[in-house]
Amino acid sequence: MFRAALFDLDGVVFDTESQYSVFWGDVCRKYHPELPGLENKIKGQTLVQIFDAYFNGMDEAKKDIVARLDEYESRMTYDYVPGFETFVSDLKANGVLTALVTSSNIAKMQSVYRSRPELLDTFNLILTSENFSESKPAPDCYLQAARELHVKTSECLVFEDSFNGLKSGTSARMRVVGLSTTNPADVIAPLCQLVIADFSHFSHQLCLNLF
C-alpha cells in the first residue's frame, strides 16, 4: 500500500542545485584552492557535515560562510522542479500524505517561505535539520517522518537527488525514487528503484507500480 510521499527539498521540490554549486564553488576556491571540484564532492551534505570535514578549527571562515550563505539564500530563486505542483495535487487527490524532509535549517526555510508561502500548505508535515539528531545518510529523518504521519516504512515512497539522501531513504527501508537533477541518472540508479528527470510525466498511478 502506498500511503505517504516524502520529499527532499533542494533538487527535488526546488531546482536550486545549480545555485548552490555557484555559491560553494566560490567558497571552496577561496578557502580550499588545493581541492578543486570540492563543491561537487560536498553536494547533499549538511552545513555541519561540511564544516566538520573541511573547516575544522577554521572558526572565522565558518562565521564568514554562515553569514554569506544566509544572505545568498535570501536572494535565491525557488523555482519548482517541473511537474512538482501537478504531481503533489495528484497525490493529495488520491489520499496520499506528503512530507518535506530536509537537512535545511529553519533560517533557510524562512527565506523559502517568504518566496513560496504556499509551501506551508503543500505538505502534511515539514521536518528540518532541527528535528533530528542524525543527518542523512542516516535514516533517522525518514523514520521520524513515518512515525509522525502514522504510516509504516513499507508504505512510504521517498524522492531524493543526492547520494546521502538516496542512502537515507534506502536505510529507512523505504522505496526510493531518484531525481537526476543533481547527479547523472546512471550513477544514482543503483541507489533507488526508479530514476526520473523531473515530475512532468510522473503520477500517483506510476507510484503504485513500485509497490
Side-chain angles (χ1 to χ4, degrees):
M1 183 182 296
F2 173 38
R3 294 188 59 200
L6 315 179
F7 297 85
D8 179 41
L9 182 67
D10 295 296
V12 175
V13 175
F14 294 124
D15 185 14
T16 51
E17 287 302 322
S18 61
Q19 295 177 80
Y20 279 113
S21 292
V22 171
F23 174 83
W24 284 108
D26 290 341
V27 168
C28 292
R29 282 189 292 274
K30 177 179 180 180
Y31 290 107
H32 284 296
E34 79 284 5
L35 298 173
L38 180 59
E39 66 272 17
N40 297 317
K41 186 175 181 179
I42 62 178
K43 280 184 178 181
Q45 296 185 20
T46 66
L47 192 59
V48 171
Q49 289 171 330
I50 294 169
F51 282 172
D52 286 347
Y54 299 102
F55 294 88
N56 189 29
M58 301 171 65
D59 292 341
E60 290 304 314
K62 287 190 282 189
K63 290 179 183 178
D64 173 56
I65 293 169
V66 169
R68 290 173 61 183
L69 183 58
D70 287 345
E71 195 274 334
Y72 187 81
E73 288 176 334
S74 71
R75 295 185 290 103
M76 281 175 54
T77 56
Y78 295 96
D79 296 326
Y80 287 111
V81 167
F84 170 77
E85 293 168 285
T86 299
F87 175 57
V88 169
S89 295
D90 185 26
L91 293 179
K92 289 185 173 182
N94 285 280
V96 176
L97 299 171
T98 59
L100 178 65
V101 184
T102 176
S103 296
S104 298
N105 58 27
I106 291 176
K108 187 269 187 71
M109 293 306 297
Q110 293 305 316
S111 295
V112 173
Y113 298 146
R114 283 193 293 272
S115 176
R116 295 288 186 181
E118 72 276 9
L119 200 71
L120 288 165
D121 297 319
T122 299
F123 298 99
N124 298 101
L125 173 69
I126 295 178
L127 297 179
T128 64
S129 63
E130 290 84 0
N131 295 120
F132 38 88
S133 57
E134 292 293 328
S135 298
K136 304 170 186 177
D140 301 44
C141 56
Y142 284 117
L143 293 175
Q144 182 171 337
R147 284 194 299 270
E148 295 197 28
L149 292 175
H150 304 291
V151 296
K152 300 175 182 178
T153 57
S154 60
E155 298 171 328
C156 296
L157 184 58
V158 169
F159 293 88
E160 275 283 1
D161 65 310
S162 71
F163 293 116
N164 281 344
L166 294 163
K167 292 174 182 177
S168 177
T170 299
S171 295
R173 298 185 180 278
M174 298 176 179
R175 290 168 172 82
V176 181
V177 172
L179 279 89
S180 57
T181 52
T182 303
N183 299 290
D186 61 326
V187 176
I188 64 173
L191 300 175
C192 53
Q193 279 69 55
L194 177 69
V195 177
I196 58 176
D198 54 41
F199 298 102
S200 297
H201 304 289
F202 208 55
S203 65
H204 171 259
Q205 183 58 50
L206 291 176
C207 291
L208 293 179
N209 294 339
L210 299 173
F211 286 81

